């Protein structure tokens, strides 16, 4: 399952309870930058495995991520800030799903 989660564009306090629950229950996070998403994990007290999905991610890596999604893993797609796939590399994996 691929789940899209919008993240705050400024104040982490704007993250909804539902978004927090979804992030906590994920098996993997697909992120633009693990350093940025690492700060979010730290603030939430989480240690979820992250996989990078950005403009430099190879097609073969994207295929690996699709395999994760098809294996019944709960995979969350999030961007550094805002809603995934509006104007970021996540659009490709969403289209493939």
């Amino acid at each position: 399952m691929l789940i899209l989660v919008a993240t705050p564009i400024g104040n982490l306090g704007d993250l909804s309870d539902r978004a927090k629950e979804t992030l906590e229950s994920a098996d993997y996070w697909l992120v633009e930058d693990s350093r940025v998403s690492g700060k979010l994990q730290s603030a939430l007290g989480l240690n979820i495995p992250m996989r990078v999905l950005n403009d430099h991610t190879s097609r073969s890596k994207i295929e690996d991520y699709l395999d994760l999604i098809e294996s019944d893993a709960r995979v969350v797609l999030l961007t550094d800030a805002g809603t995934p796939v509006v104007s970021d590399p996540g659009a490709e994996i969403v289209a493939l799903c």
Side-chain angles (χ1 to χ4, degrees):
M1 174 184 298
L2 180 65
I3 305 163
L4 310 182
V5 174
T7 54
I9 300 177
N11 187 337
L12 188 56
D14 293 336
L15 188 67
S16 73
D17 289 338
R18 185 171 179 198
K20 288 177 193 173
E21 291 170 10
T22 302
L23 293 170
E24 291 169 350
S25 69
D27 296 311
Y28 297 93
W29 288 9
L30 292 181
V31 302
E32 279 185 273
D33 185 333
S34 59
R35 296 168 296 185
V36 174
S37 297
K39 291 176 186 175
L40 177 59
Q41 283 202 15
S42 180
L44 296 174
L46 301 175
N47 188 23
I48 308 290
M50 290 185 277
R51 303 293 186 265
V52 175
L53 177 62
N54 60 31
D55 291 331
H56 307 288
T57 304
S58 69
R59 180 64 179 206
S60 65
K61 268 292 183 207
I62 292 172
E63 294 293 333
D64 291 344
Y65 300 158
L66 287 171
D67 290 343
L68 273 178
I69 294 163
E70 291 173 350
S71 74
D72 292 332
R74 289 179 56 87
V75 179
V76 168
L77 174 64
L78 60 150
T79 59
D80 291 346
T83 303
V85 308
V86 171
S87 62
D88 66 68
E92 182 177 1
I93 200 162
V94 169
L96 291 168
C97 284

